[in-house]
Amino acid sequence: MQNRIHIQEGDITAMEVDVIVNAANPSLLGGGGVDGAIHRAAGPALLAACKVVRQQQGECAPGHAVITEAGQLRAKAVIHTVGPIWRGGSDNEAQLLGDAYRNSLQLVSANGYRSVAFPAISTGIYGYPKAAAAQIAMDTVSDYLTRHPLPEQVYFVCYDEENARLYQRLLTQRF
Ligand code: ADP
């Protein structure tokens, strides 16, 4: 397991992995933060694919995930998941954040992909405290990997130094 979880600092759109996970909003039609970066790098084909999903399924609820093509990204697919908005911690945020990671991983496995990169879901505009969110991300992914052969490799992509430090500490503690 130790060699299946990695921490990478920088921009998720540069990752050479099968699947990039997007911290989307329920509309699936793009937004700021990592969502904006992914759509800019992927080009209009990604937005077109999101619009199709949106027409077929409606909005994507917090904790849920959908998969689309990846447009011009090097990845083969993008998984759009919606994290919870932080409202103080008593609004089921922890469960929903875990669901966002778990449901994304299930889509990776179900589609036979071997590697996936996650951003720190909900820790930007959605305001989830970074330490608590990192703990949930690490626990949920570790637990999933003990029970599933795919994905083989999971990358936590940390855009800011605080997240990089938090994730690194958790990974060191765990192994
Ligand atoms: P949310 O609405 O889920 O909080 P944000 O995009 O605002 O989503 O932030 C989620 C995390 O993604 C934050 O920790 C932010 O620093 C990070 N982030 C922003 N841009 C990028 C990027 N290009 N690559 C990786 N992570 C990014």
Side-chain angles (χ1 to χ4, degrees):
M1 159 95 77
Q2 183 171 4
N3 51 8
R4 292 173 70 191
I5 299 181
H6 312 273
I7 294 161
Q8 176 74 44
E9 289 186 50
D11 180 356
I12 200 167
T13 63
M15 293 296 293
E16 295 194 27
V17 284
D18 288 347
V19 181
I20 287 176
V21 176
N22 180 18
N25 62 53
S27 80
L28 297 174
L29 301 181
V34 72
D35 195 2
I38 288 172
H39 274 280
R40 274 193 300 279
L46 182 63
L47 186 57
C50 287
K51 283 182 176 164
V52 171
V53 173
R54 170 69 198 262
Q55 268 162 6
Q56 289 169 344
Q57 303 184 19
E59 291 210 325
C60 185
H64 290 230
V66 298
I67 190 164
T68 66
E69 62 156 275
Q72 291 164 17
L73 291 169
R74 267 175 243 156
K76 296 171 184 158
V78 173
I79 289 173
H80 310 261
T81 189
V82 179
I85 296 172
W86 179 256
R87 293 195 169 90
S90 49
D91 201 27
N92 209 25
E93 291 97 328
Q95 176 69 39
L96 291 171
L97 187 59
D99 288 348
Y101 282 95
R102 248 183 317 275
N103 286 324
S104 298
L105 288 165
Q106 271 162 15
L107 282 175
V108 176
S109 307
N111 286 278
Y113 290 125
R114 296 166 69 172
S115 57
V116 58
F118 282 98
I121 299 166
S122 283
T123 68
I125 298 158
Y126 281 6
Y128 209 112
K130 288 180 181 173
Q135 184 81 57
I136 289 170
M138 193 64 81
D139 288 349
T140 307
V141 168
S142 305
D143 178 62
Y144 189 91
L145 293 185
T146 59
R147 292 178 289 106
H148 298 85
L150 288 177
E152 290 167 359
Q153 307 296 332
V154 175
Y155 295 84
F156 288 117
V157 182
C158 298
Y159 197 59
D160 58 274
E161 255 177 52
E162 187 185 355
N163 266 323
R165 205 166 4 90
L166 288 165
Y167 274 87
Q168 207 68 61
R169 192 184 304 154
L170 287 173
L171 196 61
T172 311
Q173 278 167 7
R174 190 169 292 271
F175 301 112

